[in-house]
Amino acid sequence: MTDFADLVDGYQRFRTADWRRQRERWAKLKDGQEPRVMVIACSDSRVEPAQIFDTLPGEMFVVRNVANLVPPCETGGGHHGVSAALEFAVTQLKVSEIVVLGHGRCGGCKAALAGTFDDAEPGKGGFISDWVHLLDDARDKVRSEFPDADSEDARRAMERESVRTSLANLRTFPFVQEAEAAGRLKLHGAVFAIGDGQLHVMDADGEFQPAKPRVEAEASA
């Protein structure tokens, strides 16, 4: 398994290869960033947005957390890491698109669906429980549709509901509402399947369809 020493070795390869090959790009990036897209993805080590979307440094502003969740807009106490990143991306970087990227076999969605850490103490699953309670409504919906919460269909439905939940919560932020209403911002949902490498994109009806190349998508629009 990879350890920190392996990471340092990887840095050395990067420094002598990619850094030199893309020196002009890095020279531009040292003065600031201008990504057009924000991606909100899961912390799962198997789901790397830059690899999935084949992007270069500076092309995406990425936030990762358990189950790719966006909390609703709240102005009370506490540390609002996702909200701060969202505010920075929309109001300062002026991104024009936000993608909520869910994925197959998501441990956070599984825990939310099964109530794995309900009533757990902090340090024993309590922090996880508090966070995935954002999916309580989604959990109730999925359980009502799939009595067997351990089934593959139930897990897949929960993973898609996590994307829908985050998109709905994004629209509770006034600055997101304003940018979207003005046509300056578009919101997208997608789910990546680890097993077969397939990406499904949410359509206007809230359903997920296999991703199509740009030309094919424009032709069918």
Side-chain angles (χ1 to χ4, degrees), residues 212-221:
K212 298 178 180 179
R214 185 195 301 266
V215 174
E216 183 178 342
E218 292 176 346
S220 61

Side-chain angles (χ1 to χ4, degrees), residues 61-97:
F61 185 75
V62 180
V63 171
R64 299 178 70 172
N65 62 54
V66 173
N68 43 267
L69 289 173
V70 176
C73 182
E74 298 173 335
T75 57
H79 296 91
H80 304 289
V82 176
S83 302
L86 175 63
E87 183 180 57
F88 184 71
V90 175
T91 69
Q92 304 303 307
L93 295 177
K94 308 291 186 183
V95 298
S96 57
E97 297 180 280

Side-chain angles (χ1 to χ4, degrees), residues 132-201:
V132 299
H133 272 311
L134 290 168
L135 291 172
D136 281 355
D137 289 344
R139 176 202 60 203
D140 294 343
K141 177 182 178 181
V142 172
R143 284 182 177 178
S144 69
E145 295 176 359
F146 302 93
D148 181 5
D150 292 327
S151 69
E152 184 68 28
D153 288 340
R155 290 197 296 268
R156 184 181 300 111
M158 191 66 176
E159 289 152 6
R160 296 184 176 195
E161 284 300 325
S162 75
V163 174
R164 297 187 183 104
T165 296
S166 287
L167 287 170
N169 287 345
L170 278 171
R171 293 187 168 103
T172 66
F173 289 83
F175 53 85
V176 172
Q177 296 174 13
E178 180 183 351
E180 190 176 26
R184 299 192 305 270
L185 180 66
K186 293 182 180 179
L187 306 185
H188 307 278
V191 174
F192 175 74
I194 295 173
D196 60 12
Q198 292 292 316
L199 182 73
H200 285 71
V201 177

Side-chain angles (χ1 to χ4, degrees), residues 22-76:
Q22 300 185 49
R23 192 67 191 90
E24 184 177 346
R25 166 176 287 275
W26 286 106
K28 292 179 180 178
L29 291 176
K30 71 179 177 62
D31 295 322
Q33 58 174 326
E34 296 181 338
R36 294 179 56 193
V37 180
M38 177 184 192
V39 176
I40 301 168
C42 186
S43 299
D44 194 300
S45 62
R46 301 166 295 177
V47 185
E48 174 51 61
Q51 186 173 31
I52 293 170
F53 295 122
D54 191 25
T55 59
L56 296 171
E59 292 186 328
M60 296 190 303
F61 185 75
V62 180
V63 171
R64 299 178 70 172
N65 62 54
V66 173
N68 43 267
L69 289 173
V70 176
C73 182
E74 298 173 335
T75 57

